[in-house]
Amino acid sequence: TGPFDPPDTEGALSSATGWLPLDPMEIYQDVLDRLSDAALYGDTRVLHDYIRLPFTFSTEMHTFTLTTEAELDAYCLSFTETLQAMGATDYIRIAREAHYVTRDRIEGFHYSHTIRNGHRLFAPFCSRHVVERGPERWQVTRAAVAIANDHWEIRMPATTPFSEYPPAFLEPQGLTQ
């Protein structure tokens, strides 16, 4: 057994025991926080650690599959450039729901907020991520984002009002169909 294998008890254990939290919301939010900071600051090293290739990224209009580290770097850096061009001071993603699908897979739902000096730059949008247990950490393998962009690179998210989200974003099984 290793540090990613849960003990016989349930729940989050202290870091002193060497075990990671077992609460799917804690795991999901931790991955979101690390990737949000990486996106804001262009830290591709963190991106490589927390996104597993091939990585599938879907908008309402198109699905992109990234298969190389170079593609992943371009994805990260283009989004970082977008955030910087808008003057974003914070990129915050807040988990709303996360659950285990299997012992090694979590699916979750969150809202993304892009902030400049305490003010929203555009409407928050929701996303669903699949997070899978990797050899050293949990990693995102798939993301579905409620923006209407249909081409790469995404420079300004075209957000959709929540009432108009497609069913895949509102149902827990939306990423597995």
Side-chain angles (χ1 to χ4, degrees):
T1 62
F4 287 91
D5 295 321
D8 293 332
T9 58
E10 292 189 26
L13 299 176
S14 73
S15 59
T17 65
W19 296 99
L20 297 176
L22 298 178
D23 178 7
M25 280 289 281
E26 287 182 41
I27 294 167
Y28 190 79
Q29 186 64 58
D30 178 65
V31 171
L32 290 177
D33 291 345
R34 291 171 189 272
L35 289 174
S36 295
D37 287 347
L40 188 61
Y41 301 111
D43 189 342
T44 57
R45 181 192 57 79
V46 170
L47 208 69
H48 292 212
D49 286 347
Y50 287 90
I51 293 181
R52 184 183 310 157
L53 297 173
F55 170 63
T56 303
F57 176 84
S58 300
T59 69
E60 294 175 21
M61 306 295 286
H62 192 73
T63 297
F64 308 93
T65 300
L66 309 178
T67 59
T68 68
E69 288 185 355
E71 289 174 328
L72 188 59
D73 289 350
Y75 161 80
C76 176
L77 295 175
S78 69
F79 191 56
T80 298
E81 290 170 8
T82 297
L83 294 172
Q84 290 173 351
M86 291 187 293
T89 54
D90 299 281
Y91 181 57
I92 301 166
R93 294 189 281 183
I94 300 171
R96 302 294 295 195
E97 169 191 312
H99 63 278
Y100 285 102
V101 177
T102 69
R103 171 186 170 109
D104 297 323
R105 181 179 177 150
I106 294 170
E107 290 189 11
F109 165 86
H110 64 275
Y111 283 101
S112 298
H113 302 268
T114 308
I115 310 294
R116 179 176 54 214
N117 299 324
H119 300 280
R120 285 189 177 135
L121 290 171
F122 47 84
F125 55 92
C126 83
S127 300
R128 299 190 73 80
H129 281 12
V130 172
V131 181
E132 295 182 359
R133 186 190 316 253
E136 296 180 22
R137 63 188 51 83
W138 290 88
Q139 299 170 303
V140 178
T141 58
R142 181 169 175 82
V145 182
I147 58 177
N149 301 75
D150 64 354
H151 63 279
W152 195 260
E153 300 167 352
I154 296 172
R155 291 295 181 186
M156 179 65 166
T159 60
T160 302
F162 185 75
S163 61
E164 297 175 21
Y165 281 177
F169 288 95
L170 303 177
E171 299 174 10
Q173 69 277 14
L175 289 179
T176 57
Q177 293 181 348

